[in-house]
Amino acid sequence: MSSEVEHATELVHTRADLARARASRTGTVGVVMTMGALHEGHETLLREARARADHVIVTVFVNPLQFGPNEDFDRYPRTLEADLEVCRRAGADLVFAPSVAEMYPGGEPAVRVNPGPLGEDLEGLSRPGFFHGVLTVVLKLLQLTRADLAFFGEKDYQQLTLVRRMCRDLDVPVEVIGVPTVREPDGLALSSRNRYLSPAERSVALNLSRALRAGAEAASAGGDAAAVLTAAHVAFGAGESGARLDYLVLTDPDLEPGPVRGPARLLVAAWVGGTRLIDNAPVRLDPAS
């Protein structure tokens, strides 16, 4: 029997209906938070949640708090019917797709989660206030869904790291689980924003994964942090022109200053045409002495 038959997916739009539906589900509950426009990367999160939890809730909400004044809130893809099909296929029990008024009934909240210094670096430096909006809506959705497990993709690695830190620092009773990035066969990380890319821009976008791959290869060959970053920068610049680099950094796994040895994270962000893309990869530093 297919998962579509086994798991009838219920759609709710209000807090009251979510509370009713949540109350009827006992056992462990996993949540996958999305802004819709679901793709194979989201489906991987859903399958992981399905394997780890008794019930799976998906939230579909384009959060205005995390969009700057010149960003793509209005043009962000909204594809609820297609998203529901993905959720049914992956075995989600419940989809919560609220309106902005339902999530913020009093208007934009005066009280928001402060992400701390890390939230003002990397993505936060390029998008001021971004993580205040992200963590605020994540905390609200964790409260509303009362999830035991929350699944986030590693592609948004800074988001994953900050959500983990928020839950730890504020004693939120949820286990935050990171799921590895899903990629196209040519290495491009799956993203809802990829649909904005023209065929030519799609080719240019490979500069990001090309840089990460080169950095990882340099680390595997015994290169130190400087060699890893140099290799990544060279590979990014050696690709087709058209990508404008925002940052390319090497940090420790918690996004603190990069280690001399051991696990590390290589992160990149760049503009391709009018679309801003991010990617990252784990590396291990074991430089030759």
Side-chain angles (χ1 to χ4, degrees):
M1 184 180 294
S2 72
S3 60
E4 294 177 56
V5 175
E6 291 177 327
H7 300 283
T9 301
E10 181 179 0
L11 172 65
V12 297
H13 296 286
T14 69
R15 294 162 176 258
D17 285 342
L18 173 62
R20 172 193 52 75
R22 173 64 179 87
S24 69
R25 289 169 168 85
T26 59
T28 57
V29 170
V31 66
V32 176
M33 300 180 190
T34 82
M35 293 206 300
L38 303 189
H39 50 62
E40 187 180 342
H42 296 106
E43 196 163 350
T44 298
L45 291 174
L46 291 171
R47 287 195 296 267
E48 184 69 18
R50 181 79 264 164
R52 301 270 305 258
D54 296 318
H55 301 285
V56 177
I57 300 175
V58 180
T59 67
V60 177
F61 179 64
V62 184
N63 177 32
L65 298 190
Q66 65 196 68
F67 287 81
N70 298 315
E71 293 185 332
D72 55 358
F73 176 75
D74 289 332
R75 73 169 183 145
Y76 195 88
R78 291 158 171 84
T79 58
L80 184 58
E81 287 305 315
D83 295 341
L84 287 172
E85 187 56 37
V86 173
C87 292
R88 294 186 188 105
R89 186 167 64 239
D93 299 277
L94 179 64
V95 173
F96 177 48
S99 66
V100 172
E102 187 69 24
M103 279 301 295
Y104 304 118
E108 291 195 0
V111 176
R112 305 189 188 191
V113 178
N114 187 328
L118 178 57
E120 310 304 332
D121 197 10
L122 301 175
E123 289 301 288
L125 186 62
S126 296
R127 307 174 69 184
F130 174 68
F131 285 115
H132 296 74
V134 170
L135 294 186
T136 298
V137 79
V138 167
L139 184 59
K140 285 170 68 72
L141 289 170
L142 288 174
Q143 301 277 28
L144 291 169
T145 61
R146 293 185 290 116
D148 303 290
L149 308 169
F151 298 81
F152 292 88
E154 290 186 356
K155 187 185 79 69
D156 297 296
Y157 191 79
Q158 189 176 7
Q159 170 182 276
L160 169 63
T161 302
L162 284 168
V163 169
R164 281 178 168 152
R165 186 167 296 182
M166 175 186 73
C167 291
R168 180 195 68 198
D169 289 354
L170 301 183
D171 296 311
V172 182
V174 64
E175 181 182 355
V176 179
I177 298 166
V179 179
T181 302
V182 178
R183 299 182 180 278
E184 299 279 6
D186 60 8
L188 183 67
L190 290 182
S191 169
S192 300
R193 287 189 167 92
N194 290 351
R195 67 185 64 198
Y196 299 155
L197 301 172
S198 69
E201 290 169 342
R202 171 68 175 68
S203 179
V204 170
L206 293 177
N207 284 17
L208 281 79
S209 57
R210 182 183 293 116
L212 297 177
R213 190 163 55 249
E217 289 171 355
S220 296
D224 60 11
V228 167
L229 280 172
T230 297
H233 276 279
V234 168
F236 185 91
E240 297 182 43
S241 61
R244 178 164 52 89
L245 186 64
D246 187 348
Y247 61 76
L248 177 54
V249 299
L250 185 68
T251 73
D252 82 354
D254 295 321
L255 300 181
E256 299 294 342
V260 175
R261 288 184 177 273
R265 205 84 190 184
L266 190 59
L267 303 101
V268 62
W271 287 92
V272 178
T275 303
R276 190 172 180 279
L277 301 175
I278 62 173
D279 202 350
N280 69 88
V283 300
R284 184 169 186 85
L285 295 174
D286 188 19
S289 54

